[in-house]
């Protein structure tokens, strides 16, 4: 069955006692892993909704990454810890814990060959780890600000880091050399009255054909502490680094927490904030979304199922919701 964004509807939802922060499907599509404000990880079986809780972190869990075979998951928290887990055990226990960053870890990514884990956090560092034994392979020089997102190029040669101040740095994995930078400073705002830097590269994605590179976040932040801002995705041509288009949202309020390219080449954005919860769908040659879905409550993260039909969203109202891009039964 082909995905049809205009048919998107909430098909399933699971409620918890605590607000959710992040979510990811495992690569085999069996489970949704979700981090909540109770410091725990909650694994939901997609077909049944059965929940298993994995308590280990000492603070909010903010990111997940998986080995390509789907057998190992790594979680990252505001406690600066990386934790390795077996994905499918009845009651998973930590396999390894690494004190990785000084302060929050905000983002994780796994190399296409499954050998290297990239992590970025509030210590302004990008770090590369050996997934097999958890040893540090390389640590970048300090960035200009917190590292908010990480991304491996599908070819495996490069890893990218996105910062609070809107800089995207492309690094050579083998040597640690800085190759080039993308300028996405439109995703950063400094408010002098409130004395805050706000925004940042919240998520990055590359189109299936490798032509377009998307950076998601926010702009028009007139009142950062009041969360008054609008979602924005900046789309670049990968080879030339020229900006292709600014994907906007027709005055909706919120932050693009995650961007994901569908295999059918349209871009998906999960948005949450003062405007509630939204899913946006864009084509690469259009600034405005060709479809928008209003969800029941504020979205804090989003992921696409391996089947290309289902979307998981983590919500402030203590729900994980599974939406389907298919006609209602």
């Amino acid at each position: 069955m082909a995905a049809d964004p205009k048919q998107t509807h909430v098909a399933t939802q699971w409620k918890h006692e605590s607000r959710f922060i992040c979510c990811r499907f495992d690569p085999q599509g069996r489970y949704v892993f979700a981090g909540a404000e109770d410091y725990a990880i909650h694994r939901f079986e997609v077909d049944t909704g059965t929940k298993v809780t994995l308590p280990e972190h000492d603070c909010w869990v903010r990111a997940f990454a998986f080995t390509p075979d789907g057998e190992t998951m790594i979680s990252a928290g505001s406690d600066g810890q990386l934790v390795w887990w077996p994905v499918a055990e009845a009651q998973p226990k930590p396999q390894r814990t690494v004190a990785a960053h000084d302060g929050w870890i905000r983002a994780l990514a796994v190399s296409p060959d499954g050998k290297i884990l990239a992590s970025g956090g509030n210590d302004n560092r990008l770090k590369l780890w050996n997934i097999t034994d958890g040893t540090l392979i390389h640590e970048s020089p300090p960035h200009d600000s917190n590292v908010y997102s990480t991304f491996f190029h599908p070819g495996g040669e490069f890893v990218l880091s996105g910062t609070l101040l809107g800089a995207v740095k492309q690094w050579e994995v083998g040597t640690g050399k800085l190759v080039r930078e993308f300028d996405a400073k439109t995703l950063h705002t400094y408010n002098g009255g409130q004395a805050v830097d706000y925004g940042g590269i919240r998520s990055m994605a590359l189109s299936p054909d490798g032509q377009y590179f998307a950076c998601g976040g926010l702009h028009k932040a007139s009142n950062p502490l009041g969360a008054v801002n609008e979602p924005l995705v900046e789309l670049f041509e990968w080879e030339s680094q020229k900006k292709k288009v600014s994907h906007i949202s027709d005055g909706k309020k919120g932050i693009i927490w995650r961007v994901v390219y569908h295999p059918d080449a349209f871009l998906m954005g999960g948005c949450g904030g003062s405007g509630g919860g939204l899913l946006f769908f864009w084509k690469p040659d259009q600034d405005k979304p060709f479809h928008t879905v209003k969800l029941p409550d504020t979205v804090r993260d989003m992921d696409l199922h391996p089947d290309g039909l289902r979307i998981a969203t983590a919500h402030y109202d203590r729900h994980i919701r599974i939406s389907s891009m298919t006609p209602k039964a």
Side-chain angles (χ1 to χ4, degrees):
M1 183 179 296
D4 182 355
K6 294 185 178 181
Q7 299 287 341
T8 303
H9 64 279
V10 176
T12 306
Q13 61 181 12
W14 306 304
K15 190 174 183 180
H16 181 57
E17 296 79 18
S18 185
R19 298 181 177 97
F20 286 107
I21 302 163
C22 58
C23 64
R24 289 292 184 276
F25 288 108
D26 76 283
Q28 296 185 35
R30 299 161 293 177
Y31 308 105
V32 176
F33 286 82
E37 290 184 9
D38 58 7
Y39 300 0
I41 299 164
H42 304 280
R43 186 189 72 185
F44 294 89
E45 190 172 4
V46 172
D47 290 339
T48 66
T50 301
K51 182 176 71 173
V52 174
T53 298
L54 290 65
E56 180 66 19
H57 286 273
D58 296 324
C59 203
W60 290 6
V61 175
R62 307 196 74 91
F64 300 111
F66 297 85
T67 53
D69 62 8
E71 297 305 319
T72 301
M73 182 268 285
I74 302 99
S75 60
S78 297
D79 55 5
Q81 304 283 325
L82 295 172
V83 183
W84 274 247
W85 303 87
V87 166
E89 287 189 1
Q91 183 60 60
K93 302 295 182 184
Q95 297 172 320
R96 178 183 302 107
T97 300
V98 174
H101 286 262
D102 182 13
W104 293 10
I105 301 174
R106 288 185 174 270
L108 297 177
V110 171
S111 61
D113 62 7
K115 296 180 179 180
I116 300 173
L117 173 74
S119 62
N122 279 13
D123 56 4
N124 299 0
R125 302 280 183 169
L126 171 73
K127 296 186 179 184
L128 301 183
W129 308 87
N130 185 314
I131 283 188
T132 302
D133 59 17
T135 56
L136 182 65
I137 298 171
H138 177 74
E139 180 177 328
S140 75
H143 289 63
D144 58 6
S145 56
N146 300 165
V147 177
Y148 272 21
S149 54
T150 56
F151 176 77
F152 273 98
H153 188 275
E157 183 182 359
F158 303 112
V159 62
L160 295 93
S161 52
T163 74
L164 166 61
L165 297 186
V168 178
K169 297 179 181 290
Q170 181 180 335
W171 308 87
E172 198 171 61
V173 173
T175 65
K177 177 184 176 182
L178 179 62
V179 178
R180 59 180 186 167
E181 298 185 39
F182 289 80
D183 181 358
K185 292 184 176 62
T186 48
L187 295 171
H188 163 259
T189 297
Y190 176 74
N191 186 293
Q194 297 178 349
V196 294
D197 288 294
Y198 187 55
I201 314 297
R202 302 300 177 124
S203 180
M204 299 180 282
L206 190 70
S207 61
D209 61 7
Q211 288 191 57
Y212 303 119
F213 178 60
C215 298
L218 63 92
H219 71 151
K220 296 185 179 179
S222 58
N223 180 8
L225 297 184
V228 179
N229 50 258
E230 294 184 15
L232 175 66
V233 178
E234 296 287 28
L235 190 67
F236 299 89
E237 294 177 352
W238 172 257
E239 291 296 335
S240 70
Q241 296 182 270
K242 293 179 181 178
K243 188 182 293 186
K244 171 72 173 177
V245 68
S246 294
H247 287 317
I248 57 176
S249 58
D250 251 349
K252 301 291 193 301
K253 303 297 183 184
I255 300 171
I256 296 291
W257 295 107
R258 183 97 195 278
V259 286
V260 175
Y261 266 104
H262 191 274
D264 292 341
F266 58 82
L267 182 66
M268 304 164 47
C271 174
S274 58
L278 298 160
L279 292 173
F280 297 116
F281 301 88
W282 291 281
K283 296 178 180 179
D285 57 345
Q286 299 175 2
D287 59 347
K288 296 180 181 179
F290 68 87
H291 188 58
T292 301
V293 176
K294 176 74 172 177
L295 292 172
D297 191 73
T298 298
V299 170
R300 300 172 92 177
D301 200 7
M302 175 268 286
D303 197 28
L304 178 66
H305 191 277
D307 66 10
L309 299 175
R310 288 174 282 183
I311 304 165
T313 44
H315 291 264
Y316 186 78
D317 70 351
R318 301 174 173 86
H319 282 82
I320 294 294
R321 292 185 169 92
I322 307 296
S323 297
S324 180
M325 294 183 283
T326 59
K328 290 183 179 181

